[in-house]
Amino acid sequence: MKQFLILCVCVALSQCIRVPLIKGKTARQRLQEKGLWEEYRKENPYVPWIKFVQTGQESMTNDADLCYYGVISIGTPPQSFNILMDTGSSNLWVPSVYCSSQSCQGHNMFNPQQSSTFQSTNESISVQYGTGSMTGYMGYDTVTVGGIAVQNQIFGLSETEAPFMGTMTWDGIMGLAYQAISSDSATPVFDNMMSQNLVAEDVFSVYLSSNEQQGSMLLLGEIDPSYYTGSIYWIPLSSESYYQVTMDSITINGQVVACNGGCQAIVDTGTSFIIGPSSDVSNLNAYLGAQTDQYGDSVVSCNSIQSMPSVTFTLNGYAFSLPPSSFVSQGNSGCMTGFSGGDFGSSFSWILGDVFIRNWYTIFNRANNTVGLASLS
Ligand SMILES: *[C@@H]1O[C@H](CO)[C@@H](O)[C@H](O)[C@H]1NC(C)=O
Ligand SMILES: *[C@@H]1O[C@H](CO)[C@@H](O)[C@H](O)[C@H]1NC(C)=O
């Protein structure tokens, strides 16, 4: 009955905006298949905090394990792009036909001359990768997300892109975090959706499927009860920039192994792993029998998954436990945990990425600045 009512509301107001997320191959998998992974990793070490360095420029990542992306279109008539939906940044950008880099080839590229609604600006945009950068300029156009058109959306058109972007499945990024951290103070897509009254509620939610290629979903403007069971646990944001929350502790079998005395964490769909301070992550991995290899991966014996303990994250007094089956991944070259070390000079020290988010239906509530987590149905 409840679901029926919600469906009715959405149909009546045309405010169900759903973007199916495709679970594609990661850059790591693609490079491993070609035997190029180790060389690539040597040249492009993973530096998780590069994405969050506040230089006044847009943030970016060289995360080789991202796999979820959705399709949006820009312009009139629409030009389609595969997009990383990123709650850890706030800008929208796509490759453009003016991109002179090899890494843009093989990606969809926006041609502003083929859009009757495009308006150019003279504002430039620059994205730091750590191993290179993306540069370009800003324009305005109609951006269509889940069938709903957002008018006059500002976005970046790339003119150069670092080589590693060529290995990514997705073309560009749509940032879903707050305008406060947006490069050039560009209005994020979801902020325009709220101000243009395109969403029924000022919330969006994410379901990331672990196994299926299909089924993952970004729901803009709604919380769908069919995705979860039991209560939603609401966690107030400690900062409205990223989706930043206070974490009480990380425990194994009731023993604190990391985040002793509390720490700050962000919930970030645009980071694949769970990242924390190196010393904390070493300690956590030691409890799990994992060791950091020369490429920074936390390698563990695949045989030990059965006997490995769960890891519990306590947020706002609620305990969220991750079973080993959800944080150990099995690749061509063995098993590794989804816990990776990196020391930030930032207001937060932990990133709860897809390895965490996959375990819960995750709601980003802009109406009261909370994040909600609920058990998957
Ligand atoms: C961009 O700069 C050029 C040259 O300085 C100027 O003629 C043009 O009007 C500017 N366009 C916008 C949209 O500001
Ligand atoms: C935030 O909104 C949700 C959904 O309406 C509500 O259940 C929750 O109690 C609210 N939390 C706070 C702290 O206001």
Side-chain angles (χ1 to χ4, degrees):
M1 192 59 193
K2 212 172 174 185
Q3 278 180 44
F4 177 68
L5 283 177
I6 285 166
L7 188 68
C8 282
V9 169
C10 288
V11 169
L13 305 175
S14 302
Q15 283 162 335
C16 275
I17 309 179
R18 294 188 170 204
V19 185
L21 300 178
I22 301 140
K23 187 166 184 261
K25 270 190 189 158
T26 64
R28 181 194 293 265
Q29 286 165 337
R30 286 150 60 114
L31 289 161
Q32 276 176 342
E33 283 168 8
K34 293 182 198 153
L36 298 173
W37 167 249
E38 291 185 6
E39 187 190 330
Y40 168 87
R41 185 55 122 193
K42 262 182 235 154
E43 283 168 16
N44 302 274
Y46 178 39
V47 187
W49 66 86
I50 285 292
K51 181 177 169 185
F52 306 101
V53 174
Q54 301 272 359
T55 56
Q57 296 169 321
E58 194 190 336
S59 46
M60 230 334 257
T61 177
N62 60 347
D63 189 330
D65 295 285
L66 290 166
C67 57
Y68 301 96
Y69 62 91
V71 178
I72 70 166
S73 64
I74 304 178
T76 313
Q79 301 176 36
S80 291
F81 300 91
N82 297 326
I83 296 287
L84 171 69
M85 299 294 173
D86 182 16
T87 62
S89 70
S90 299
N91 290 82
L92 170 65
W93 72 266
V94 293
S96 84
V97 290
Y98 305 121
C99 180
S100 57
S101 309
Q102 183 66 37
S103 46
C104 286
Q105 304 303 319
H107 281 294
N108 297 302
M109 293 177 275
F110 183 71
N111 186 348
Q113 290 187 322
Q114 283 175 7
S115 173
S116 61
T117 40
F118 181 76
Q119 282 183 294
S120 192
T121 77
N122 285 339
E123 270 179 88
S124 64
I125 180 171
S126 172
V127 182
Q128 294 302 305
Y129 299 117
T131 47
S133 65
M134 165 272 194
T135 62
Y137 68 105
M138 307 282 260
Y140 290 85
D141 210 334
T142 303
V143 172
T144 305
V145 181
I148 301 293
V150 183
Q151 309 297 332
N152 295 315
Q153 175 63 51
I154 191 167
F155 67 104
L157 295 80
S158 80
E159 292 170 312
T160 68
E161 290 186 15
F164 85 86
M165 278 301 297
T167 64
M168 301 290 175
T169 310
W170 32 271
D171 306 310
I173 296 178
M174 181 171 124
L176 287 157
Y178 288 77
Q179 189 167 2
I181 56 156
S182 179
S183 175
D184 291 350
S185 287
T187 309
V189 174
F190 193 68
D191 290 62
N192 273 329
M193 286 186 162
M194 293 191 287
S195 63
Q196 293 176 18
N197 293 317
L198 300 175
V199 284
E201 285 183 77
D202 292 347
V203 303
F204 62 91
S205 55
V206 175
Y207 164 64
L208 300 181
S209 170
S210 304
N211 307 311
E212 306 298 321
Q213 219 179 328
Q214 312 287 332
S216 302
M217 196 68 79
L218 169 67
L219 303 94
L220 299 158
E222 63 166 331
I223 300 168
D224 181 344
S226 68
Y227 281 98
Y228 71 93
T229 172
S231 306
I232 300 173
Y233 298 99
W234 293 103
I235 303 143
L237 299 186
S238 49
S239 164
E240 289 144 29
S241 46
Y242 301 101
Y243 293 93
Q244 186 172 328
V245 295
T246 301
M247 186 146 66
D248 306 331
S249 65
I250 299 175
T251 55
I252 290 177
N253 295 326
Q255 201 173 341
V256 177
V257 295
C259 181
N260 197 352
C263 56
Q264 293 293 306
I266 63 164
V267 183
D268 180 13
T269 57
T271 292
S272 52
F273 289 166
I274 295 172
I275 314 287
S278 302
S279 57
D280 268 10
V281 169
S282 302
N283 197 38
L284 176 51
N285 276 327
Y287 271 87
L288 302 172
Q291 275 168 351
T292 306
D293 71 7
Q294 57 180 321
Y295 306 113
D297 291 334
S298 307
V299 180
V300 74
S301 159
C302 296
N303 297 328
S304 66
I305 300 176
Q306 297 297 326
S307 57
M308 226 181 260
S310 293
V311 178
T312 301
F313 297 77
T314 302
L315 301 163
N316 200 29
Y318 306 122
F320 301 95
S321 281
L322 255 60
S325 58
S326 77
F327 64 72
V328 177
S329 64
Q330 196 152 3
N332 295 351
S333 51
C335 286
M336 57 191 268
T337 77
F339 302 111
S340 187
D343 297 292
F344 304 89
S346 200
S347 60
F348 56 88
S349 56
W350 285 84
I351 307 170
L352 303 175
D354 296 342
V355 165
F356 181 87
I357 294 167
R358 264 201 289 270
N359 287 269
W360 290 280
Y361 180 49
T362 304
I363 302 154
F364 299 85
N365 193 338
R366 294 290 295 268
N368 65 11
N369 301 312
T370 54
V371 166
L373 297 172
S375 296
L376 296 175
S377 55

